[in-house]
Amino acid sequence: PQPPTSPLQPPSKKANFKMWGKIIAFFLGGLIILGALICFFRLPVKVSVSPSAVLYLDENNKGEISQKTFWIKPGNHTLRLQKTGFQPEIISFYQPYWSLKKFAFKLKKAPALQEIDQGTEAFLRLENDKNYLLYFNPEKKAFFRYNLKTKEKIQITPAYFWNLQKIKWNESGTGVVVWLQYDNQKFKNTPFYQKTLTNQDIATYYYDFKRYKITEQNAYFWGKDINEIAWAPVKGRFYYLGGQANKGYLAQAEHNAQKITRLLTNIPATGELKVNSTETSAYMIGRPFETKFFEIDLTDPARELEALTEQGKTNFVWLNDNQVLIGSLQGNPKFRSSEKFQLFDLSEEIFKGQEFYAQKGWFYQLKDGFIVLEAKENLWIIHKITTNNQEEWRYEYISSMLPEKIWYHEKESLLFVESNNQIFSLIINHG
């Protein structure tokens, strides 16, 4: 008889390959299924808000809700609630894989803006222990004074100011520099009438309010090529940029521009201009061809422009003789708006501190530093708080209105904003 065949013969190489192929296929299939579960896995987030408000989840508008459940991926998320007349709620949170989220909000009333009048170019001043807001009313072509306590509005000039292009207040608020597009017929019987001017000329005048007595007011013609002025520490003296394009000049003027001395020529004709408190240096950002921040030594007879920064600067906000905020052409990368500002130390000629994105004129110096008013989709105020030599920044919601101009009165904690040629006031609490 033949010996029996052994049942434990080793498997062939072909069978071994098939077995490993199945294992790998099973493993890859598991990975695909797990990846699909991770990609499509969602967890519920329940949001309730009173009163109902528009909800933005990761900046995607989900409509107005009072209570709703959303299914979201695990990870980092941002939730924002907005309603007109209420302060927005904004939170960032992390959604883990193993827990559920619930959010309940009760929106707070936003500060109320109080309408004052139609107006632009406001100026705050203290006179005889009374606080006033001076402003130009574009509809009535005249300047007005608003009493902050009694709310009384008084017209303080005749309706002379047709074709007003730009204004600059003197530092006491008793007069104003105005740039007017000249019109022979409109100005014929006014203090602005000048035989030497033709229609379409942009003429610069100093208008003296004479303490708001209309019968004593007068206008002084300064010229038709003055582009920007800066007041000097000496009363009645000022500096200005004049001329055309890149063939401009810097001049010093006194006695209502009756005495003029040219200090520097062949410089940018327009831009920002400021003179320090000792009248030893002038600072400017020249346009249109130069966008650097310049210093001019006023005490040097051979004075010249000295560039303190590289090109790309837009304007500056003067804080004191040693500090200035300088804006750049770079916009806010997150919100695609505003300009980038940074603190520049004039004594060391270097940039210092944190960058801010805001608009020109939305900075105000406080005793403990300065605040920045910022518009994203709303208007916020940022307080600079210094504790134990550490700087902190606190955000406070102001309004859903995005104004063109802002003025701040620290003593009265009043904020004034202009939107669509309308001036509003708002009481705030800073720092």
Side-chain angles (χ1 to χ4, degrees):
Q2 297 291 328
T5 304
S6 173
L8 299 177
Q9 291 181 2
S12 66
K13 290 183 178 180
K14 187 176 181 180
N16 201 10
F17 178 78
K18 286 183 178 180
M19 179 183 68
W20 279 106
K22 288 180 180 179
I23 292 173
I24 292 172
F26 179 79
F27 181 72
L28 290 175
L31 286 178
I32 292 171
I33 293 171
L34 180 62
L37 287 173
I38 292 174
C39 289
F40 294 100
F41 183 69
R42 299 288 189 276
L43 285 167
V45 173
K46 186 177 180 180
V47 180
S48 60
V49 56
S50 175
S52 62
V54 176
L55 184 143
Y56 294 84
L57 185 60
D58 298 328
E59 297 306 316
N60 295 313
N61 190 332
K62 300 296 183 180
E64 186 166 344
I65 69 154
S66 56
Q67 183 172 306
K68 195 170 183 178
T69 299
F70 299 91
W71 293 81
I72 64 172
K73 294 180 181 180
N76 294 312
H77 298 276
T78 300
L79 187 150
R80 175 162 55 96
L81 289 159
Q82 283 195 208
K83 187 178 183 68
T84 301
F86 292 83
Q87 298 187 35
E89 288 281 355
I90 305 173
I91 63 166
S92 296
F93 65 95
Y94 177 77
Q95 174 61 63
Y97 283 89
W98 55 84
S99 68
L100 306 180
K101 290 284 186 182
K102 290 184 179 180
F103 296 104
F105 300 94
K106 187 173 183 179
L107 300 183
K108 298 178 182 178
K109 282 276 191 180
L113 291 171
Q114 302 296 320
E115 183 177 322
I116 292 179
D117 195 7
Q118 284 197 332
T120 63
E121 307 297 344
F123 180 88
L124 291 158
R125 65 167 277 110
L126 178 65
E127 182 182 321
N128 299 327
D129 296 324
K130 296 179 182 178
N131 288 310
Y132 293 102
L133 180 74
L134 305 177
Y135 61 94
F136 175 69
N137 186 313
E139 181 184 18
K140 297 181 179 178
K141 311 298 182 188
F143 284 87
F144 282 71
R145 184 179 64 184
Y146 176 76
N147 189 312
L148 301 186
K149 293 182 179 179
T150 66
K151 316 301 182 187
E152 181 185 26
K153 291 177 285 190
I154 299 175
Q155 182 173 330
I156 60 173
T157 70
Y160 287 154
F161 298 87
W162 293 86
N163 305 334
L164 182 62
Q165 305 293 303
K166 184 173 71 170
I167 79 167
K168 192 176 187 76
W169 298 88
N170 72 5
E171 295 183 349
S172 65
T174 57
V176 64
V177 183
V178 294
W179 282 260
L180 299 164
Q181 182 178 319
Y182 194 76
D183 186 300
N184 186 64
Q185 293 300 317
K186 289 179 179 177
F187 297 144
K188 192 167 187 178
N189 295 313
T190 75
F192 301 127
Y193 183 71
Q194 293 288 324
K195 293 181 180 180
T196 58
L197 295 178
T198 61
N199 287 359
Q200 308 308 313
D201 280 338
I202 303 298
T204 306
Y205 298 83
Y206 177 74
Y207 192 88
D208 191 340
F209 291 141
K210 296 292 185 184
R211 294 292 178 180
Y212 318 115
K213 295 180 180 179
I214 292 180
T215 55
E216 298 179 8
Q217 293 172 358
N218 203 357
Y220 302 90
F221 176 61
W222 279 4
K224 61 178 183 178
D225 69 343
I226 295 176
N227 302 313
E228 184 59 49
I229 75 163
W231 297 106
V234 177
K235 187 177 180 181
R237 181 188 296 168
F238 64 95
Y239 293 78
Y240 69 90
L241 291 174
Q244 301 294 323
N246 216 35
K247 294 183 179 180
Y249 61 90
L250 174 70
Q252 182 194 80
E254 298 179 85
H255 308 303
N256 264 319
Q258 298 302 306
K259 180 183 177 183
I260 297 174
T261 306
R262 291 201 181 192
L263 305 177
L264 198 58
T265 58
N266 295 321
I267 63 173
T270 60
E272 304 286 323
L273 181 65
K274 180 70 179 180
V275 176
N276 64 6
S277 63
T278 57
E279 207 172 334
T280 56
S281 295
Y283 298 89
M284 63 176 287
I285 286 181
R287 287 190 286 271
F289 303 116
E290 294 284 358
T291 53
K292 299 177 182 178
F293 181 68
F294 293 101
E295 181 179 27
I296 305 165
D297 186 350
L298 297 176
T299 64
D300 184 0
R303 61 186 67 86
E304 59 183 22
L305 288 178
E306 179 188 356
L308 302 183
T309 66
E310 297 296 324
Q311 286 185 319
K313 306 309 173 187
T314 51
N315 45 57
F316 63 87
V317 181
W318 190 264
L319 297 179
N320 53 54
D321 281 350
N322 291 316
Q323 293 181 314
V324 59
L325 290 166
I326 300 180
S328 74
L329 297 172
Q330 182 179 347
N332 192 327
K334 185 174 182 180
F335 299 101
R336 298 179 183 177
S337 63
S338 307
E339 298 176 8
K340 183 176 79 173
F341 282 84
Q342 194 171 1
L343 187 67
F344 188 81
D345 189 304
L346 291 169
S347 61
E348 299 182 37
E349 297 186 2
I350 58 173
F351 284 103
K352 288 184 174 181
Q354 184 175 348
E355 298 173 349
F356 296 96
Y357 291 93
Q359 295 190 28
K360 166 70 177 175
W362 291 18
F363 297 87
Y364 297 88
Q365 188 176 7
L366 295 179
K367 294 175 182 176
D368 59 354
F370 58 91
I371 56 176
V372 181
L373 292 159
E374 181 179 88
K376 298 174 184 177
E377 289 187 0
N378 302 286
L379 180 64
W380 297 76
I381 187 170
I382 308 175
H383 309 297
K384 179 181 177 183
I385 311 298
T386 304
T387 55
N388 299 324
N389 296 323
Q390 296 293 319
E391 294 180 356
E392 299 177 5
W393 302 91
R394 181 186 305 165
Y395 284 72
E396 178 187 343
Y397 175 77
I398 295 296
S399 171
S400 60
M401 177 185 294
L402 298 184
E404 284 84 30
K405 296 185 180 71
I406 300 173
W407 303 272
Y408 179 66
H409 192 294
E410 182 181 3
K411 183 178 178 181
E412 298 291 330
S413 294
L414 276 171
L415 184 75
F416 297 91
V417 300
E418 176 206 331
S419 180
N420 296 322
N421 290 341
Q422 194 77 32
I423 294 180
F424 300 84
S425 66
L426 175 70
I427 296 177
I428 63 172
N429 263 326
H430 61 71

